[in-house]
Amino acid sequence: MNPAQWFTEQVPGAETAFSLKIKQKLHEEQSPFQHLEIYETETFGNLMVIDGCTMVSTRDNFFYHEMMSHPVLFTHPEPKKVWIIGGGDCGTLREVLKHPSVEHAVQIDIDERVTRLAEIYFPELCASNHDARADLKFIDGIKWVKDAAPNSVDIIIVDSTDPIGPAEGLFGEDFYRDCYHCLSEHGMLVQQSESALYHMQLIGEMREAMSNSGLSHLQTLFFPQCLYPSGWWSATIAGKTALSAFRQQDCANKIFDTTYYNVDIHKAAMAQPEFFKKAFPLK
Ligand code: SAM
C-alpha cells in the first residue's frame, strides 16, 4: 500500500483509522478558521476534509444529510422556520428545503470558504442555494443564536464539525440555553452526536448540557455513515416540550425523493440499543 495514494483519518482514543484510495488532491488551503482539503477518490467521488477529518463524500453524504433533516422535520408539527448552524457544504439545506412547509431556512456557517468549495466540488449539494427561501450567512453560529430574538425559529439543526476549534462552543450548555430562548413553543434542536461506539462520554455530556438548558426531551437516533469514525453515527433531537408524534402519514406521502430515509428507516433509527438504554434510561 503506497501511503501517497491514500487519505487516512486516524481516530485518537479509538486507535483506529479509515482510509480512502485517492486519484488526486484537487485543492488545499488554510482558511481563517480551518485547514480545507478536497480529494478525488477512486470509489467515493469527491471528498472534503477539514482539519484532517472527513466531512463529506459524493457517494455517502445522503445518509447524513437526510438523517440530520427529515426525522426532526417530520417530528415537528409544522416546521416553518429552520436554522442550520454549520452545514457549509449545503447538503442539509438542500434536504430542509424539500419540505413545502418550510418558509425560511437560514444556514449559518462560520467559514464562507467551505461553501465556495462545495459550489465547485459538490454542486449537487448546492442545488437549492438560490431557492427564494434560502438564506446563507457567514458568521459564528454561537453569536447568531446569542443575538437572536426569542421565539424566532422552529428547528435548529447543528451540522457542525467535531467539538474542537470553532465548533467547541456548539456543544456547551451556554449555547443550548441561547437556542432554548430563540426556539418557538414546540421548538426542537437536532445535533450530530458522533458515534455511540466511540464517543459515549461526549454523548453523555451533550445530553446533560441539553437537559440543563431546558431542552430536556431527548431522542437519539442512529444511522450508518461509512465515512465517519466507526461507520455508525448518531444525531440527538432535544425538544423544549415533549417531542410530538412522528407525522408518519405525511412522511409516507412525502412529495420529494430521498435515497435512504423513509417511514421504516425513521422508526428503525429511533430504536435504542440495549447499552444505550442502560446508559440513558428514559426519565
Ligand atoms: N457532516 C459533517 C461532520 O459531521 O463531520 C459536518 C460538515 S459541515 C462542513 C461542518 C461545518 O461546521 C464547517 O463548514 C464549519 O465551518 C462549521 N462550523 C464549525 N464551527 C462553527 C461555528 N461556531 N459556527 C458556525 N459554523 C461552524
Side-chain angles (χ1 to χ4, degrees), residues 19-283:
S19 295
L20 282 168
K21 194 169 187 187
I22 54 172
K23 285 187 181 167
Q24 58 172 323
K25 185 180 273 190
L26 296 170
H27 184 84
E28 181 170 14
E29 71 177 79
Q30 178 66 43
S31 81
F33 303 98
Q34 48 214 351
H35 189 74
L36 309 172
E37 292 164 274
I38 309 281
Y39 294 91
E40 182 186 0
T41 72
E42 287 285 349
T43 60
F44 271 64
N46 288 348
L47 169 72
M48 180 186 284
V49 175
I50 299 185
D51 287 340
C53 298
T54 55
M55 288 290 129
V56 174
S57 86
T58 309
R59 185 174 181 184
D60 81 338
N61 76 79
F62 63 88
F63 290 106
Y64 179 86
H65 289 136
E66 292 183 10
M67 295 307 283
M68 287 295 288
S69 36
H70 304 309
V72 73
L73 277 144
F74 278 121
T75 299
H76 192 284
E78 203 187 6
K80 291 183 176 171
K81 295 179 195 155
V82 180
W83 296 344
I84 300 153
I85 308 287
D89 57 63
C90 305
T92 299
L93 178 67
R94 185 187 67 171
E95 295 306 312
V96 165
L97 289 168
K98 289 179 178 177
H99 289 253
S101 70
V102 172
E103 294 171 354
H104 191 206
V106 190
Q107 177 187 289
I108 306 109
D109 198 295
I110 199 167
D111 194 347
E112 182 170 358
R113 288 302 302 153
V114 174
T115 299
R116 298 299 162 231
L117 292 176
E119 286 166 349
I120 298 168
Y121 297 107
F122 299 89
E124 69 285 7
L125 300 184
C126 299
S128 300
N129 287 8
H130 298 295
D131 187 302
R133 299 168 295 158
D135 197 351
L136 274 64
K137 309 273 186 210
F138 298 106
I139 60 162
D140 188 341
I142 297 169
K143 179 170 164 39
W144 172 268
V145 168
K146 195 180 272 307
D147 294 346
N151 200 26
S152 48
V153 65
D154 300 316
I155 293 177
I156 301 175
I157 300 176
V158 188
D159 178 2
S160 75
T161 40
D162 297 340
I164 40 171
E168 197 176 347
L170 298 174
F171 290 74
E173 200 173 309
D174 290 348
F175 171 70
Y176 298 134
R177 196 163 282 122
D178 291 336
C179 289
Y180 179 94
H181 287 299
C182 50
L183 280 165
S184 54
E185 192 191 347
H186 298 292
M188 293 170 199
L189 173 147
V190 62
Q191 181 161 21
Q192 70 93 356
S193 47
E194 314 270 315
S195 165
L197 188 62
Y198 289 177
H199 308 119
M200 279 296 273
Q201 186 179 334
L202 176 113
I203 294 175
E205 288 164 6
M206 261 181 84
R207 290 174 68 101
E208 192 179 340
M210 286 168 162
S211 293
N212 291 345
S213 75
L215 296 169
S216 54
H217 301 270
L218 304 180
Q219 166 79 55
T220 296
L221 53 113
F222 302 90
F223 52 95
Q225 189 67 53
C226 161
L227 206 62
Y228 295 163
S230 85
W232 186 48
W233 215 241
S234 73
T236 297
I237 299 177
K240 253 180 132 160
T241 53
L243 299 181
S244 320
F246 171 36
R247 290 189 290 115
Q248 182 169 331
Q249 207 51 47
D250 292 348
C251 178
N253 298 333
K254 66 185 170 54
I255 54 162
F256 54 83
D257 283 338
T258 45
T259 306
Y260 181 64
Y261 177 81
N262 58 30
V263 166
D264 292 336
I265 290 292
H266 183 114
K267 291 181 185 171
M270 299 296 161
Q272 306 291 286
E274 282 305 300
F275 77 90
F276 204 83
K277 280 200 272 189
K278 279 190 192 122
F280 309 117
L282 285 177
K283 285 176 194 155

